[in-house]
Amino acid sequence: MPLSCIIILDLSLLVFALSIFKSLFQRKPVPSLPPGPRGLPLIGNVLDMPLEKEWLTFAKWGDIWGDICSVTVLGQPIIILNSRKAAYEMLDKKSVIYSDRPTLQMGGELVGWKNTLVLLPYGDRFRRYRRLFHSLVGSHATIKKFIPVEELETRRFLRRVLAKPEDLASHIRKTAGAIILRISHGYEVKENNDPFIELADRATEQFSLATAPGRFLVDFMPTLRYVPSWLPGAGFQKKAAAWSATLSNMVEQPHNFVKQQLAAGTAAISFSSAFLESKRLSSEEEFDLKWSAASLYAGAADTTVSAIYSFFLAMTLYPEVAKKAQEEIDSVVGGDRLPTYADRDSLPYVDALIKEVFRWNTVVPTAVPHRAMQDDVHDGYYIPKGSLIIPNIWKLMHDPKVYADPFTFRPERFLAMKDRLAEPDPRQICFGFGRRPSFLTIREGMHLADASAFLSCALSLAVFDISKYVENNVVIEPVHDNTTGTISHPKPFKCCIKPRSGKAVSLIQGEETK
């Protein structure tokens, strides 16, 4: 072989060897999971998972490890998002990857909430549910047709509070349920001990407990779902059976009511009756309809209850805010009538107050987890397929970098001034992200809860003074504390609710004929 060929061959081999050497020693590092607390072998971070108010622990982890952090529980990666930017960029901008729901063994499989929109896997049935809902609550314009129902039930709420102010919490729950049941099933609730209201209240409370992150070990060890209930430590099976029966009744009984009313020719117009009347439904279509209607109740009623109850707590703790809102209502509406939804554009401070209600008391603190449908690398971190993604909405609503003095109830933050811009509208994120918002069916469904909150707050401020409760000459100071669960409520508190004047009493009682 000529010397020149040998030299060329040697040089080629040298270049090849150098390229191999470079690829071996200069290879880019494989991305790792986001940082987080160090786990133990095999069990991972089981012992680190909080048993209550998990949003507070998640927020602390965010302070230590950053806006995107993670834990692993028995091999299950859990990614926690502690900033608006991180949640938006992952769940909104990459919604095609993060639109699935995890299979929750306790709440989804054992209890049965997997058939409601909130836990329904991404697929054909999910899209059918969305089409059903879009015809009902797909935009602010479609919500307007329900305003008369909301105004009627809110006026009834005022009469209940006037008669028994000490039963405030039950009045709020009854009113929220009455509005949704009228819309979903055309059902008018009974004034006392309504069976559908009581049934739905139990079911939604059980949902909140059954789906709380880290509460049940079976969610991380799916084989436990096959353990018989009589074995020691399998008490969750008895709970699941009881909760499943409650859920089944909540779905079936109102649906059967509509069918009976249609057969008798007395059915009111509603979400359910409209579809049952339109054509003969297949068994699959009827299944979709009754679970969609149940999703509507479960998604809107309990979240609205939490928001309105927190409004009364805020007015008790911040009387100066209530006074300022009342002055605006008096100047715009006057004293000869109650406010209506049509007044909203003329009541900017009250509108800002509603936004602050949703921000100050986060109804769904950690949302419902999303699930990664494929491997992803996000912001330099590896997100394995099947990871659970939890946006810590409580932290987002109380981030001092976004909301100044976040633990203070201050509606002014949402009013633009000459020297500052308004702070971000919390309603854009408090209902969840991406294609899978937390509860209110589709993102636009927030208008339903928002309208209910506005009417309850505006009408209550127009006719009632809300103050701290005095018992035996001692002022009872309420504490802003919340219950544990996927849907969080202010813990019970006492307040004093009195009519502002004799004219206010006349306005409340004068509505009885309407």
Side-chain angles (χ1 to χ4, degrees):
M1 180 182 296
L3 180 61
S4 60
C5 292
I6 295 174
I7 293 172
I8 292 172
L9 179 61
D10 288 343
L11 288 173
S12 298
L13 290 172
L14 178 62
V15 170
F16 178 73
L18 288 174
S19 65
I20 294 295
F21 180 84
K22 182 177 181 181
S23 65
L24 288 174
F25 291 94
Q26 294 187 357
R27 182 179 296 170
K28 292 182 179 179
V30 177
S32 60
L33 283 169
R38 184 185 298 273
L40 296 173
L42 299 179
I43 65 172
N45 297 99
V46 167
L47 302 181
D48 296 311
M49 292 300 289
L51 297 178
E52 61 178 12
K53 298 180 182 176
E54 57 278 0
W55 54 90
L56 299 179
T57 299
F58 293 168
K60 290 178 182 177
W61 291 350
D63 292 339
I64 299 171
W65 286 288
D67 293 345
I68 305 177
C69 56
S70 73
V71 291
T72 302
V73 178
L74 300 174
Q76 171 66 66
I78 301 174
I79 315 299
I80 299 157
L81 310 178
N82 276 300
S83 76
R84 178 187 293 247
K85 179 177 180 290
Y88 172 75
E89 290 185 347
M90 182 176 286
L91 301 179
D92 273 358
K93 294 179 72 173
K94 293 184 174 182
S95 61
V96 68
I97 297 176
Y98 297 105
S99 290
D100 203 7
R101 287 291 192 218
T103 300
L104 298 183
Q105 297 298 326
M106 183 63 176
E109 299 293 324
L110 293 176
V111 179
W113 286 94
K114 65 179 181 180
N115 293 314
T116 60
L117 185 69
V118 67
L119 291 184
L120 195 66
Y122 194 72
D124 290 341
R125 173 156 278 148
F126 171 76
R127 285 185 281 271
R128 291 199 300 270
Y129 278 30
R130 279 183 65 101
R131 285 195 294 270
L132 286 172
F133 282 126
H134 193 80
S135 66
L136 181 75
V137 291
S139 68
H140 189 269
T142 59
I143 291 298
K144 287 185 177 180
K145 64 186 176 183
F146 302 121
I147 294 300
V149 169
E150 299 207 52
E151 291 181 336
L152 171 65
E153 293 296 343
T154 305
R155 293 193 295 265
R156 291 176 174 174
F157 167 73
L158 298 181
R159 296 199 295 274
R160 295 180 187 121
V161 174
L162 179 66
K164 291 186 177 181
E166 66 277 8
D167 292 339
L168 173 65
S170 64
H171 298 327
I172 294 172
R173 190 165 289 279
K174 178 185 286 291
T175 301
I179 291 170
I180 299 302
L181 283 169
R182 286 277 290 266
I183 294 170
S184 62
H185 296 89
Y187 176 79
E188 189 165 353
V189 302
K190 296 176 174 60
E191 192 58 37
N192 296 306
N193 303 318
D194 186 89
F196 287 178
I197 292 289
E198 293 176 357
L199 185 60
D201 287 348
R202 288 200 306 275
T204 51
E205 180 182 1
Q206 291 163 5
F207 168 85
S208 184
L209 296 173
T211 58
R215 189 177 183 90
F216 292 98
L217 190 59
V218 67
D219 285 328
F220 302 105
M221 297 182 65
T223 54
L224 291 178
R225 64 177 291 196
Y226 302 108
V227 171
S229 60
W230 50 265
L231 277 181
F236 71 91
Q237 292 281 22
K238 294 179 181 178
K239 278 186 179 179
W243 292 356
S244 178
T246 303
L247 175 60
S248 178
N249 288 333
M250 188 196 85
V251 174
E252 297 291 345
Q253 291 182 14
H255 183 73
N256 289 335
F257 165 81
V258 178
K259 294 175 73 173
Q260 291 165 6
Q261 295 291 300
L262 283 170
T266 58
I269 297 174
S270 69
F271 174 70
S272 296
S273 67
F275 286 101
L276 285 169
E277 279 186 313
S278 63
K279 64 175 182 175
R280 185 177 182 84
L281 302 181
S282 67
S283 59
E284 184 177 44
E285 289 172 329
E286 188 167 353
F287 181 93
D288 290 349
L289 175 61
K290 66 184 178 182
W291 280 94
S292 294
S295 299
L296 179 63
Y297 183 92
D302 205 33
T303 51
T304 304
V305 169
S306 179
I308 296 173
Y309 196 47
S310 69
F311 157 76
F312 279 91
L313 175 60
M315 296 304 94
T316 304
L317 291 170
Y318 297 90
E320 69 281 2
V321 171
K323 183 178 179 181
K324 189 170 181 178
Q326 287 173 331
E327 289 173 352
E328 183 180 71
I329 292 170
D330 292 344
S331 66
V332 172
V333 178
D336 295 326
R337 66 176 178 89
L338 292 172
T340 67
Y341 192 78
D343 295 311
R344 186 166 191 172
D345 290 342
S346 302
L347 298 169
Y349 187 80
V350 176
D351 186 64
L353 188 153
I354 307 306
K355 295 177 185 177
E356 183 70 336
V357 165
F358 284 117
R359 186 205 67 83
W360 182 69
N361 183 80
T362 312
V363 174
V364 192
T366 56
V368 176
H370 293 236
R371 178 182 177 274
M373 294 188 286
Q374 65 185 57
D375 289 348
D376 185 32
V377 175
H378 183 83
D379 203 17
Y381 298 121
Y382 175 53
I383 312 295
K385 177 182 178 180
S387 296
L388 305 188
I389 318 298
I390 300 178
N392 188 0
I393 293 180
W394 179 88
K395 171 63 175 176
L396 274 54
M397 297 287 93
H398 295 81
D399 186 345
K401 296 190 292 293
V402 178
Y403 298 107
D405 193 14
F407 295 96
T408 299
F409 191 93
R410 191 166 59 84
E412 289 82 1
R413 70 175 75 248
F414 301 114
L415 299 173
M417 302 293 181
K418 289 183 179 179
D419 58 340
R420 64 173 174 80
L421 298 175
E423 295 177 6
D425 187 340
R427 295 172 302 180
Q428 299 301 318
I429 61 173
C430 68
F431 295 109
F433 290 87
R435 301 178 186 180
R436 299 304 301 261
S438 296
F439 287 94
L440 294 178
T441 63
I442 53 179
R443 178 70 65 85
E444 292 84 351
M446 73 180 184
H447 295 300
L448 194 61
D450 183 51
S452 293
F454 171 80
L455 287 168
S456 293
C457 298
L459 271 67
S460 296
L461 286 167
V463 295
F464 292 125
D465 281 324
I466 306 163
S467 59
K468 294 176 183 177
Y469 190 81
V470 178
E471 190 172 39
N472 298 324
N473 295 321
V474 176
V475 176
I476 306 299
E477 293 286 345
V479 176
H480 184 197
D481 195 9
N482 288 73
T483 62
T484 289
T486 302
I487 305 173
S488 180
H489 296 257
K491 289 185 177 179
F493 64 94
K494 287 187 175 183
C495 66
C496 179
I497 304 173
K498 294 181 178 180
R500 294 178 66 192
S501 64
K503 180 66 173 177
V505 174
S506 298
L507 284 174
I508 297 170
Q509 295 176 337
E511 294 292 333
E512 292 181 7
T513 59
K514 295 186 178 181

